[in-house]
């Protein structure tokens, strides 16, 4: 950190850690020229208007200092919707502007954002308007990746993909991707984009030890077509951390939050028993449960990056430390599999 004086007031100005690239792993996204850090930071929760700006600022600083160059957003992140992008836009103006060319900044559109027939899903009208609004909120001229946030069953896939193609050709997105599309629809989207000449480079699905749907075909489609993947909720909304090992619901956890996606009902005795057994394997590896879960998601190289969330700086530090041990023995993998299938 350095200090400067502006208009008679002392202002703290961010200076990035000069060693930030020393220990982070960067993985190529499919067959593209794009690389992402093995751990990326998502602003889905804890960076919105209901949250403390200085806490979010501290987390963004620490993430970048640790080599996390990818920050993932969406038009509806907050709450309220749009406020996470506004917060990040403030950071771009006050702290991150000198480092823009070192960063991969992504956004998405697909879920409800405003009233009327053009305020959600996958029409060209909605996607193009959403991108323009996101750029304004984040004080950016372009995003590095823009995603169709979900498949729209009522809009021709050619229209949705055509909008993504136009974003790249207009220079307002460098790369494009999709999120939460099934294996079948992903294959169709890839084929359409290849014909248009703007390939899809990345898919963002949910993926963790308790949510493994991507293994049923999607990962094969991505690998066959040279498309990367970034897994969101790799810690199952915090379930795969030490917070719930005792079976209770901490007051500062997502399960206890009225705005969180994880519900108290998910923390069942059977789930807690699995968490405790997984934690025992983690301890044998010299890892926390969260570190084990992240290493497991990244195993085998089929996932480009694990997209974490955080509510405090120490969580980011703990998550990045997972990269110190990404290898598994056959016995460890078999043990984990037996626990998950029990």
């Amino acid at each position: 950190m350095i200090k400067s004086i502006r208009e008679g007031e002392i202002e703290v100005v961010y200076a990035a850690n000069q060693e930030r690239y020393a220990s982070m792993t960067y993985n190529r996204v499919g067959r593209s020229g794009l690389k992402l850090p093995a751990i990326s930071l998502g602003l889905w929760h804890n960076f919105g208007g209901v949250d403390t700006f200085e806490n979010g600022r501290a987390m963004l600083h620490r993430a970048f200092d640790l080599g996390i160059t990818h920050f993932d957003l969406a038009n509806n992140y907050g709450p309220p919707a749009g406020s996470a992008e506004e917060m990040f836009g403030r950071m771009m103006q006050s702290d991150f502007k000198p480092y823009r060319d070192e960063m991969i900044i992504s956004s998405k559109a697909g879920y409800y954002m405003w009233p009327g027939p053009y305020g959600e899903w996958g029409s060209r009208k909605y996607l193009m308007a959403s991108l323009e609004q996101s750029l304004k909120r984040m004080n950016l001229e372009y995003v590095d990746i823009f995603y169709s946030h979900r498949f729209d069953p009522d809009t021709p896939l050619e229209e949705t993909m055509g909008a993504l193609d136009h974003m790249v050709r207009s220079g307002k997105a460098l790369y494009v991707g999709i999120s939460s599309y099934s294996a079948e629809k992903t294959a169709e989207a890839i084929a359409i984009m290849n014909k248009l000449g703007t390939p899809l480079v990345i898919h963002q699905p949910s993926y963790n030890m308790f949510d493994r749907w991507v293994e049923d075909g999607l990962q094969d489609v991505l690998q066959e077509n040279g498309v990367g993947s970034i897994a969101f909720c790799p810690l199952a909304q915090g379930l795969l951390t030490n917070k719930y090992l005792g079976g209770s619901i901490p007051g500062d956890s997502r399960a206890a939050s009225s705005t969180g996606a994880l519900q108290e009902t998910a923390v069942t005795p059977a789930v807690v028993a699995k968490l405790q057994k997984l934690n025992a394997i983690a301890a044998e590896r010299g890892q926390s449960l969260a570190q084990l879960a992240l290493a497991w998601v990244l195993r085998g190289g089929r996932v480009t990056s694990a997209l974490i969330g955080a509510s405090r700086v120490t969580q980011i530090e703990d998550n990045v430390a997972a990269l110190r041990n990404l290898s598994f023995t056959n016995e460890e993998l078999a043990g984990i599999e037996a626990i998950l299938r029990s």
Side-chain angles (χ1 to χ4, degrees), residues 181-197:
Y181 279 51
S182 68
E184 178 185 6
K185 292 304 177 183
T186 295
E188 292 179 23
I190 290 170
I192 292 169
M193 294 300 283
N194 285 343
K195 289 181 180 179
L196 291 172

Side-chain angles (χ1 to χ4, degrees), residues 11 24 83 98 102 139 175 185 218 227 241 270 277 312:
E11 180 180 272
M24 176 56 68
S83 60
E102 298 181 41
N139 291 304
Y175 301 91
K185 292 304 177 183
L218 178 60
V227 177
T241 69
K277 292 176 182 178
R312 59 182 66 92

Side-chain angles (χ1 to χ4, degrees), residues 44-56 78-80 83 87 259:
W44 184 10
H45 301 290
N46 303 314
F47 295 87
V50 300
D51 302 297
T52 304
F53 175 82
E54 287 304 325
N55 184 54
S83 60
M87 181 275 179
T259 60

